[in-house]
Structures are given as C-alpha cells and as structure tokens.
Amino acid sequence: MTSPNILLRPVEERDLELLLAWRNSERIRANMYTDHIITWEEHRSWFERLTRDKESFAFIFEAEGRPLGVVNLNHMDRANNRCHWGFYLGETDAPKGSGTQMAYLALRHVFEELKLHKVIGEALAFNSASIAYHEKLGFSREGQLVEHVFRDGSYLDVICFALLSRDWPRVKASLEKKCL
C-alpha cells in the first residue's frame, strides 16, 4: 500500500521496540481502553497472536521512510464484511497532515483491497481529538456506549463511528485533495 512517499506496511518484529515506546507514552495511553504500562512480555504476546490471527492486521505508517504511526484492523467479520480500526501517530513531530495520509491509506486498504462494506471506529467520549478526526474523515456517529469501559475507578462512555463503502468514493476524493 503506497502513495507518493507514504506507505502502510505490515508490522514486523523489528518494529516492536518502537511500537512499545509509542504505546506506553502517556499521550497514547491516556486515550486507550487500557492505560497501564504494557510489559515487554505482554507486547510480545500481542505480536505473536497477531502473526497467527488471519482476521487482524497491524500496519506501520511511514512517510519518507520514517515510521510515524500505526493502524490496526481487527474484529474482521467476513460474513458481514466489516472490521474495527484503531490508530495513532506515535511520533509527536509528525508532519502536518500525516494523520490524514495514514487514514487515507488504511481506508483505501479496507474498501479497495479487503473489499469490506463497513469500518467501525470507537473513541472514549472525552477524546475530542479522535472524535473530530473521525468526523473530519467522513465517518458517521452511530451511537454511544454508556459506561462501557472501566478505568481508573470509574466507567467511561464510548462514541461509535462507522464509514460505509458507499461513502468511500466521496471520502476518498476529499482525502486525496487534502493529502496527495
């Protein structure tokens, strides 16, 4: 999956240390369902499960050969042609527009290569940046899961989003103007 100077490539063993550093940063952990410091053993187990799981994919987003972020596609449901996605830019100094480029490549993969009908996103209700990101990308709000995640002694709401394949041509054209 490539475009001019940007690409998504499968996560490899050589990426594990960088991914763990990103995931354990306070900036990333604060917006995840689980916010504990992930041990090397937990991280390694995740990678081993990922390599065996034919219904989950993790990609490194690179620009100019530099890893900047990660996209996960999981809960792949081939019977209903849908998946969930998760993402983050790990590098704090990623060039402006990197998040849009990363999303463009990931969504193009979902709709044009995997041929799925629907991609589902979720954000903790306090994560205004992720909510705005989904809306900017053309996702529709599908609902709110009330008190869905227990963290730090309290329950947190989750906002649910979706993008359908029928909306992809319009979204694709908009994203191409912004990032290519």
Side-chain angles (χ1 to χ4, degrees), residues 8 10 73 75 88 103 106 115 136 145 149 156 171-172 174 177 180:
L8 283 182
L73 302 176
H75 303 293
Y88 54 83
K115 306 286 190 206
K136 171 184 158 184
L145 302 172
V149 173
L156 303 172
V171 169
K172 178 181 178 180
S174 172
K177 286 179 189 172
L180 295 181

PDB file of all heavy atoms in Angstrom, residues 8 10 73 75 88 103 106 115 136 145 149 156 171-172 174 177 180:
ATOM      1  N   LEU A   8       1.817   2.190   4.010  1.00  0.00           N
ATOM      2  CA  LEU A   8       1.478   1.319   5.131  1.00  0.00           C
ATOM      3  C   LEU A   8       2.146  -0.005   4.835  1.00  0.00           C
ATOM      4  O   LEU A   8       2.047  -0.520   3.727  1.00  0.00           O
ATOM      5  CB  LEU A   8      -0.036   1.083   5.221  1.00  0.00           C
ATOM      6  CG  LEU A   8      -0.914   2.170   5.788  1.00  0.00           C
ATOM      7  CD1 LEU A   8      -2.361   1.685   5.831  1.00  0.00           C
ATOM      8  CD2 LEU A   8      -0.483   2.607   7.174  1.00  0.00           C
ATOM      9  N   PRO A  10       3.072  -3.981   6.795  1.00  0.00           N
ATOM     10  CA  PRO A  10       2.779  -4.804   7.973  1.00  0.00           C
ATOM     11  C   PRO A  10       3.815  -4.589   9.074  1.00  0.00           C
ATOM     12  O   PRO A  10       5.002  -4.390   8.809  1.00  0.00           O
ATOM     13  CB  PRO A  10       2.860  -6.233   7.435  1.00  0.00           C
ATOM     14  CG  PRO A  10       2.596  -6.105   5.968  1.00  0.00           C
ATOM     15  CD  PRO A  10       3.187  -4.774   5.567  1.00  0.00           C
ATOM     16  N   LEU A  73      -6.338  -3.125  12.193  1.00  0.00           N
ATOM     17  CA  LEU A  73      -7.637  -3.566  11.687  1.00  0.00           C
ATOM     18  C   LEU A  73      -7.914  -4.893  12.374  1.00  0.00           C
ATOM     19  O   LEU A  73      -7.121  -5.831  12.272  1.00  0.00           O
ATOM     20  CB  LEU A  73      -7.602  -3.759  10.168  1.00  0.00           C
ATOM     21  CG  LEU A  73      -7.206  -2.544   9.340  1.00  0.00           C
ATOM     22  CD1 LEU A  73      -7.121  -2.902   7.861  1.00  0.00           C
ATOM     23  CD2 LEU A  73      -8.183  -1.396   9.555  1.00  0.00           C
ATOM     24  N   HIS A  75     -11.174  -7.482  14.615  1.00  0.00           N
ATOM     25  CA  HIS A  75     -12.579  -7.928  14.683  1.00  0.00           C
ATOM     26  C   HIS A  75     -13.148  -8.056  13.271  1.00  0.00           C
ATOM     27  O   HIS A  75     -14.280  -7.653  12.999  1.00  0.00           O
ATOM     28  CB  HIS A  75     -13.434  -6.991  15.534  1.00  0.00           C
ATOM     29  CG  HIS A  75     -12.939  -6.826  16.925  1.00  0.00           C
ATOM     30  ND1 HIS A  75     -12.935  -7.846  17.846  1.00  0.00           N
ATOM     31  CD2 HIS A  75     -12.393  -5.759  17.555  1.00  0.00           C
ATOM     32  CE1 HIS A  75     -12.422  -7.420  18.984  1.00  0.00           C
ATOM     33  NE2 HIS A  75     -12.071  -6.156  18.831  1.00  0.00           N
ATOM     34  N   TYR A  88      -2.952   5.467  15.766  1.00  0.00           N
ATOM     35  CA  TYR A  88      -2.371   6.640  16.408  1.00  0.00           C
ATOM     36  C   TYR A  88      -1.076   7.009  15.715  1.00  0.00           C
ATOM     37  O   TYR A  88      -0.413   6.168  15.117  1.00  0.00           O
ATOM     38  CB  TYR A  88      -2.147   6.464  17.913  1.00  0.00           C
ATOM     39  CG  TYR A  88      -1.341   5.261  18.332  1.00  0.00           C
ATOM     40  CD1 TYR A  88       0.048   5.269  18.318  1.00  0.00           C
ATOM     41  CD2 TYR A  88      -1.983   4.115  18.764  1.00  0.00           C
ATOM     42  CE1 TYR A  88       0.777   4.161  18.721  1.00  0.00           C
ATOM     43  CE2 TYR A  88      -1.269   3.001  19.175  1.00  0.00           C
ATOM     44  CZ  TYR A  88       0.115   3.039  19.157  1.00  0.00           C
ATOM     45  OH  TYR A  88       0.832   1.942  19.544  1.00  0.00           O
ATOM     46  N   ALA A 103      -4.820   7.683   7.445  1.00  0.00           N
ATOM     47  CA  ALA A 103      -6.211   7.249   7.316  1.00  0.00           C
ATOM     48  C   ALA A 103      -6.553   6.923   5.870  1.00  0.00           C
ATOM     49  O   ALA A 103      -7.208   5.913   5.588  1.00  0.00           O
ATOM     50  CB  ALA A 103      -7.150   8.323   7.846  1.00  0.00           C
ATOM     51  N   ALA A 106      -5.148   3.533   5.002  1.00  0.00           N
ATOM     52  CA  ALA A 106      -5.840   2.464   5.722  1.00  0.00           C
ATOM     53  C   ALA A 106      -7.235   2.235   5.160  1.00  0.00           C
ATOM     54  O   ALA A 106      -7.644   1.086   4.927  1.00  0.00           O
ATOM     55  CB  ALA A 106      -5.910   2.791   7.211  1.00  0.00           C
ATOM     56  N   LYS A 115     -12.109  -5.231   0.385  1.00  0.00           N
ATOM     57  CA  LYS A 115     -13.477  -5.195  -0.157  1.00  0.00           C
ATOM     58  C   LYS A 115     -14.537  -5.290   0.942  1.00  0.00           C
ATOM     59  O   LYS A 115     -15.570  -5.943   0.777  1.00  0.00           O
ATOM     60  CB  LYS A 115     -13.705  -6.316  -1.187  1.00  0.00           C
ATOM     61  CG  LYS A 115     -12.712  -6.349  -2.314  1.00  0.00           C
ATOM     62  CD  LYS A 115     -12.952  -5.245  -3.283  1.00  0.00           C
ATOM     63  CE  LYS A 115     -12.100  -5.461  -4.530  1.00  0.00           C
ATOM     64  NZ  LYS A 115     -11.804  -4.244  -5.218  1.00  0.00           N
ATOM     65  N   LYS A 136     -13.914  14.409  10.638  1.00  0.00           N
ATOM     66  CA  LYS A 136     -13.183  15.016   9.522  1.00  0.00           C
ATOM     67  C   LYS A 136     -13.004  14.015   8.376  1.00  0.00           C
ATOM     68  O   LYS A 136     -13.051  14.384   7.198  1.00  0.00           O
ATOM     69  CB  LYS A 136     -11.813  15.497  10.007  1.00  0.00           C
ATOM     70  CG  LYS A 136     -10.865  15.955   8.943  1.00  0.00           C
ATOM     71  CD  LYS A 136      -9.514  16.310   9.544  1.00  0.00           C
ATOM     72  CE  LYS A 136      -8.419  16.252   8.523  1.00  0.00           C
ATOM     73  NZ  LYS A 136      -7.100  16.489   9.088  1.00  0.00           N
ATOM     74  N   LEU A 145     -21.897   4.175  23.632  1.00  0.00           N
ATOM     75  CA  LEU A 145     -21.947   3.078  24.581  1.00  0.00           C
ATOM     76  C   LEU A 145     -21.743   3.677  25.969  1.00  0.00           C
ATOM     77  O   LEU A 145     -20.658   4.172  26.287  1.00  0.00           O
ATOM     78  CB  LEU A 145     -20.872   2.039  24.258  1.00  0.00           C
ATOM     79  CG  LEU A 145     -20.948   1.440  22.850  1.00  0.00           C
ATOM     80  CD1 LEU A 145     -19.724   0.575  22.561  1.00  0.00           C
ATOM     81  CD2 LEU A 145     -22.227   0.643  22.681  1.00  0.00           C
ATOM     82  N   VAL A 149     -16.438   1.359  29.435  1.00  0.00           N
ATOM     83  CA  VAL A 149     -15.067   1.000  29.802  1.00  0.00           C
ATOM     84  C   VAL A 149     -14.827   1.413  31.248  1.00  0.00           C
ATOM     85  O   VAL A 149     -15.108   2.564  31.616  1.00  0.00           O
ATOM     86  CB  VAL A 149     -14.051   1.705  28.868  1.00  0.00           C
ATOM     87  CG1 VAL A 149     -12.625   1.471  29.340  1.00  0.00           C
ATOM     88  CG2 VAL A 149     -14.231   1.234  27.438  1.00  0.00           C
ATOM     89  N   LEU A 156     -16.454   4.842  31.721  1.00  0.00           N
ATOM     90  CA  LEU A 156     -16.330   5.847  30.666  1.00  0.00           C
ATOM     91  C   LEU A 156     -17.232   5.485  29.491  1.00  0.00           C
ATOM     92  O   LEU A 156     -17.362   4.307  29.134  1.00  0.00           O
ATOM     93  CB  LEU A 156     -14.885   5.918  30.181  1.00  0.00           C
ATOM     94  CG  LEU A 156     -13.836   6.228  31.245  1.00  0.00           C
ATOM     95  CD1 LEU A 156     -12.429   6.066  30.669  1.00  0.00           C
ATOM     96  CD2 LEU A 156     -14.029   7.624  31.803  1.00  0.00           C
ATOM     97  N   VAL A 171     -15.480  10.242   0.200  1.00  0.00           N
ATOM     98  CA  VAL A 171     -14.447  10.443   1.217  1.00  0.00           C
ATOM     99  C   VAL A 171     -13.066  10.360   0.586  1.00  0.00           C
ATOM    100  O   VAL A 171     -12.182  11.174   0.867  1.00  0.00           O
ATOM    101  CB  VAL A 171     -14.612   9.423   2.363  1.00  0.00           C
ATOM    102  CG1 VAL A 171     -13.422   9.425   3.289  1.00  0.00           C
ATOM    103  CG2 VAL A 171     -15.898   9.722   3.135  1.00  0.00           C
ATOM    104  N   LYS A 172     -12.891   9.389  -0.302  1.00  0.00           N
ATOM    105  CA  LYS A 172     -11.600   9.211  -0.970  1.00  0.00           C
ATOM    106  C   LYS A 172     -11.221  10.478  -1.737  1.00  0.00           C
ATOM    107  O   LYS A 172     -10.073  10.951  -1.638  1.00  0.00           O
ATOM    108  CB  LYS A 172     -11.663   8.013  -1.913  1.00  0.00           C
ATOM    109  CG  LYS A 172     -10.388   7.761  -2.689  1.00  0.00           C
ATOM    110  CD  LYS A 172     -10.538   6.581  -3.622  1.00  0.00           C
ATOM    111  CE  LYS A 172      -9.278   6.353  -4.431  1.00  0.00           C
ATOM    112  NZ  LYS A 172      -9.413   5.208  -5.336  1.00  0.00           N
ATOM    113  N   SER A 174     -12.159  13.524  -1.273  1.00  0.00           N
ATOM    114  CA  SER A 174     -11.843  14.583  -0.319  1.00  0.00           C
ATOM    115  C   SER A 174     -10.475  14.382   0.307  1.00  0.00           C
ATOM    116  O   SER A 174      -9.679  15.337   0.419  1.00  0.00           O
ATOM    117  CB  SER A 174     -12.924  14.619   0.776  1.00  0.00           C
ATOM    118  OG  SER A 174     -12.565  15.500   1.793  1.00  0.00           O
ATOM    119  N   LYS A 177      -7.540  15.132  -2.091  1.00  0.00           N
ATOM    120  CA  LYS A 177      -7.281  16.570  -2.232  1.00  0.00           C
ATOM    121  C   LYS A 177      -6.455  17.092  -1.064  1.00  0.00           C
ATOM    122  O   LYS A 177      -5.612  17.975  -1.228  1.00  0.00           O
ATOM    123  CB  LYS A 177      -8.591  17.358  -2.305  1.00  0.00           C
ATOM    124  CG  LYS A 177      -9.316  17.213  -3.623  1.00  0.00           C
ATOM    125  CD  LYS A 177     -10.609  17.998  -3.594  1.00  0.00           C
ATOM    126  CE  LYS A 177     -11.431  17.683  -4.825  1.00  0.00           C
ATOM    127  NZ  LYS A 177     -12.767  18.274  -4.762  1.00  0.00           N
ATOM    128  N   LEU A 180      -2.633  14.223  -0.950  1.00  0.00           N
ATOM    129  CA  LEU A 180      -1.756  13.687  -2.015  1.00  0.00           C
ATOM    130  C   LEU A 180      -1.311  14.795  -2.958  1.00  0.00           C
ATOM    131  O   LEU A 180      -2.024  15.628  -3.363  1.00  0.00           O
ATOM    132  CB  LEU A 180      -2.467  12.583  -2.791  1.00  0.00           C
ATOM    133  CG  LEU A 180      -2.796  11.344  -1.980  1.00  0.00           C
ATOM    134  CD1 LEU A 180      -3.487  10.317  -2.856  1.00  0.00           C
ATOM    135  CD2 LEU A 180      -1.541  10.737  -1.367  1.00  0.00           C
TER     136      LEU A 180
END
